[in-house]
Amino acid sequence: MQASEQYHVPASYDQTIEDAYKTPEAAFVEPERVGETAARLLAIGDRLEEVRLDEARDAA
Amino acid sequence: MRPSKLFSKVAMGVVGSGDTRLPLIKSKKRPLKSLTKRELIQLESEVGRTLFGEPPEGTTRREFFNLDPKTWIWHEEWRDKHGKEHQITTRYEIQEDSVIKVQPGLRYQKVEGQELENLRVAVELYHEQVMRKIYKRDPRTGDKLL
């Protein structure tokens, strides 16, 4: 894969996936890092859920 | 699977027949106050569907959202050149040490390598943008933005 086809987590929140792919920095989940990535995804899911509950509390 | 360049790049696929699709929210401007969790997720999906750039020609609907802390959904509908309608939904189940992709026909597949990285990037972008655009919060701290 060309470096230009790889991507990394963008700095700008306005960046799209397509833009992210154009970022010339390599990133790839090695098999031994799968658990680390899963933990990161779980943490994000937990955070989003927490915010939703918080918004619901504000509304109550 | 539809040969959408972006679709395959971001490694989104398909799944089940559960009611995971969300109806489109019509109004653009509304306070979050009084919205249910499901409605908040609908709003999030409005952001989620924009993360992948312009959808390919023929696409009639696209959704990407976080259903609950352990579940991410990708859904896409399109009409092919013969006018036939198609749809595809993938559910990503996040476990403690792995990610499972669930597709129609009860196919379960471990997500690894490039596909897992694609999903991670999509989720990171989703989190960043949803926190800022929907909840007006700092994605890192969760604090409300002034």
Side-chain angles (χ1 to χ4, degrees):
Chain A
M1 175 180 279
Q2 296 293 317
S4 60
E5 292 174 342
Q6 298 175 329
Y7 53 86
H8 75 156
V9 177
S12 165
Y13 72 88
D14 280 330
Q15 195 168 19
T16 65
I17 292 290
E18 199 162 21
D19 293 333
Y21 271 103
K22 291 173 186 166
T23 305
E25 292 181 23
F28 186 81
V29 180
E30 301 297 340
E32 62 270 21
R33 295 185 60 198
V34 169
E36 192 180 310
T37 300
R40 173 66 181 153
L41 299 186
L42 276 178
I44 288 176
D46 283 340
R47 200 172 305 163
L48 286 166
E49 183 74 358
E50 194 179 318
V51 170
R52 289 179 199 130
L53 293 175
D54 194 35
E55 293 289 341
R57 266 196 302 272
D58 282 355
Chain B
M1 183 180 293
R2 185 182 196 196
S4 154
K5 181 179 156 199
L6 206 53
F7 184 85
S8 57
K9 253 169 134 183
V10 183
M12 295 302 168
V14 191
V15 221
S17 56
D19 180 24
T20 52
R21 292 187 300 146
L22 298 166
L24 299 175
I25 288 184
K26 305 222 171 0
S27 171
K28 281 284 178 192
K29 191 175 181 180
R30 71 182 71 72
L32 297 182
K33 194 175 176 182
S34 83
L35 292 184
T36 64
K37 178 182 165 184
R38 185 178 177 85
E39 288 168 332
L40 289 173
I41 293 173
Q42 286 176 235
L43 279 177
E44 290 180 17
S45 189
E46 288 186 6
V47 170
R49 74 171 67 107
T50 67
L51 298 178
F52 307 90
E54 271 306 301
E57 194 181 336
T59 301
T60 53
R61 183 173 182 177
R62 176 183 276 177
E63 304 285 347
F64 178 64
F65 58 92
N66 173 241
L67 185 65
D68 61 48
K70 295 182 176 179
T71 313
W72 289 83
I73 304 290
W74 165 270
H75 176 82
E76 191 167 62
E77 296 175 10
W78 72 97
R79 194 167 285 122
D80 66 22
K81 60 183 179 183
H82 304 295
K84 187 179 177 187
E85 293 181 352
H86 301 268
Q87 67 170 39
I88 196 166
T89 307
T90 297
R91 187 170 79 243
Y92 289 94
E93 295 181 356
I94 317 299
Q95 303 181 339
E96 292 292 334
D97 57 356
S98 63
V99 177
I100 305 295
K101 181 166 73 175
V102 186
Q103 300 183 308
L106 298 176
R107 285 188 290 148
Y108 285 73
Q109 210 177 349
K110 259 192 172 181
V111 181
E112 295 173 319
Q114 193 67 60
E115 183 176 6
L116 181 57
E117 180 59 13
N118 293 342
L119 177 63
R120 187 188 66 78
V121 170
V123 167
E124 296 273 9
L125 280 170
Y126 179 99
H127 175 242
E128 177 84 18
Q129 296 196 19
V130 159
M131 288 290 277
R132 291 183 184 279
K133 294 180 176 176
I134 302 295
Y135 299 115
K136 313 293 184 202
R137 291 176 186 245
D138 183 314
R140 282 151 197 86
T141 65
D143 294 338
K144 292 201 173 182
L145 298 171
L146 297 177

